[in-house]
Amino acid sequence: MSRTFQPPGGLLLQWARRALVALGVLLWAGQMPARADDISAAGRGVVRIVTIATADGEVVGFGHGSGFAVAPNRIVTNAHVVELAARYPDNVVIGVVPSEGDKSYQGKLIAYDAQRDLALIEFKGTRLPPVTLYSGPVDDGESVIALGYPGNVDLATAQSAADFIKPLMPVRSQGGFAGRRSLTGVQVLLHTASIARGNSGGPLLDQCGRVIGVNSAITKAEEGDSTFGFAVADAELIAFLAEAKQPVADVGLPCTSIEERLRLDKDAAAQAADAQVAAAQIASAQAALAREAALEKARAAQERHIENVIALAAFLLVGGALAIGGAGMLEIRNNRRGAIWTLAGGGVLIIASAAVFFTRPDGTVHLPDANPATDPLASTDQSFGKMMCHILPERSRINVSKPVDVMIDYGRDGCINGQTQYAENGKKWERILVPANEQTVSVIEFDGSAKTYTESRYFLTASQMTKARQLRDAVEQKACTPDEAERQKLRSQQSAIRDALPPQPDEWLVFGCTKVP
């Protein structure tokens, strides 16, 4: 299904020669910006595959198909797109033309399976955003999207053969999944998305932009018959890549729209907030009951204490009276010295008795104020330290990623892992990551009070990434600092990057965090 040209000579041969010379050279930088949706994000990993055959220094064949990145520098396409390169490797040049940028690159065939009609190409010079495979079930009638470079569109719009190696976003078409079939012993997907010769090797996607097959053939439409497309099934693609020892990202979660996920996340957040309020109310009620029980216990203890004090006062009073009586007896016996000391001791006991009685507790009970560190309604953040964060699927939009647990060491003043400074954003700490070799910007947020770690991922165009990197280079603060002015400066610099991002992220991952003992 690749569009193959066998030029009779003259003009088309001249086009092909110019294309061969231009391959890998600066070509075109005026492409239109891509739409910000899942399909356009996947389209940035789709390429045009160009083959140019030469003999004795002359161009004798020129063709093209489509392909998509399964790694930053590796492309899947149909075997029949690069069949001549497999048969005549010394006489056929394979060109890889990304959908963005300003250059084309020469590719090398590294795996070829004629039975499955699949091939793997490697190239150097740039890095493409790899697509993700969908490993879950596809239902009959489900919407599917084809991306690629149909030859009939090229013939209608190309001014020269050089136009075939100009970076250009792929053409998209939509249809329905029509079931699974076997074609020459290979499992294929039948669909109604419009494709043409030149779409060969391009991806068939679900609505979230994940690959479910590789477009390879179309039926002939005769006498009004409907046209159907065939795509090599995901199982065949996975087996081919495994044999080629080529890892590929895959996700089995159902596709969820941004709108639906926002609604679900809002509901989940509301439920979490309600649960938190209910838990706080229960904890408060339990604390009140515990405090009342403690008061009752303290009152009983106080009453016992008062009784003991009165008993002591009575004991002292009786002792004093007996001492005075004893002093009288000593006086009768002419023991004046002993009588004086005994009388003095009795007086002291009586005075002590009065003092103990009149200073006895009044029965009022006081408990210490609640400890803020243990009060369930206290707002003090106690989340500092190491935390393990686990993905919360019910609050996330997991589209093309495979989230793994995240370990963070949350320090004071937004110091994460002891080395990276985050900036204040309301009750959260935020850091924006702009990598050098990927087309994804991530906004990382940590909320210590809610104990959530969130990564919002934006899949951007090449021009958007260039702008984001320029803004990133202005962010100087990386090491942790307690200086509030420096953190405010970081916040302002990161706000400039945030303002340059689309209104909605393509994917967001919400993690719940618990303290590590």
Side-chain angles (χ1 to χ4, degrees), residues 5-27:
F5 303 90
Q6 296 297 335
L11 180 61
L12 196 53
L13 278 173
Q14 192 175 29
W15 283 2
R17 291 191 185 99
R18 291 176 181 174
L20 181 60
V21 172
L23 193 60
V25 182
L26 184 67
L27 292 174

Side-chain angles (χ1 to χ4, degrees), residues 90 134 138 152 164 203 210 256 398 422 466 472 485 495 506 512:
D90 296 331
Y134 175 57
V138 183
N152 51 7
F164 286 89
R210 302 172 299 191
T256 305
I398 304 172
Y422 281 43
T466 297
R472 174 203 62 190
S495 294
D506 296 280

Side-chain angles (χ1 to χ4, degrees), residues 31 34 44 98-103 167-169 439 460-463:
Q31 65 268 32
R44 292 162 200 152
S99 58
E100 295 185 301
D102 52 19
K103 289 184 180 181
L168 189 69
M169 291 301 294
Q439 285 190 223
L460 304 183
T461 65
S463 59

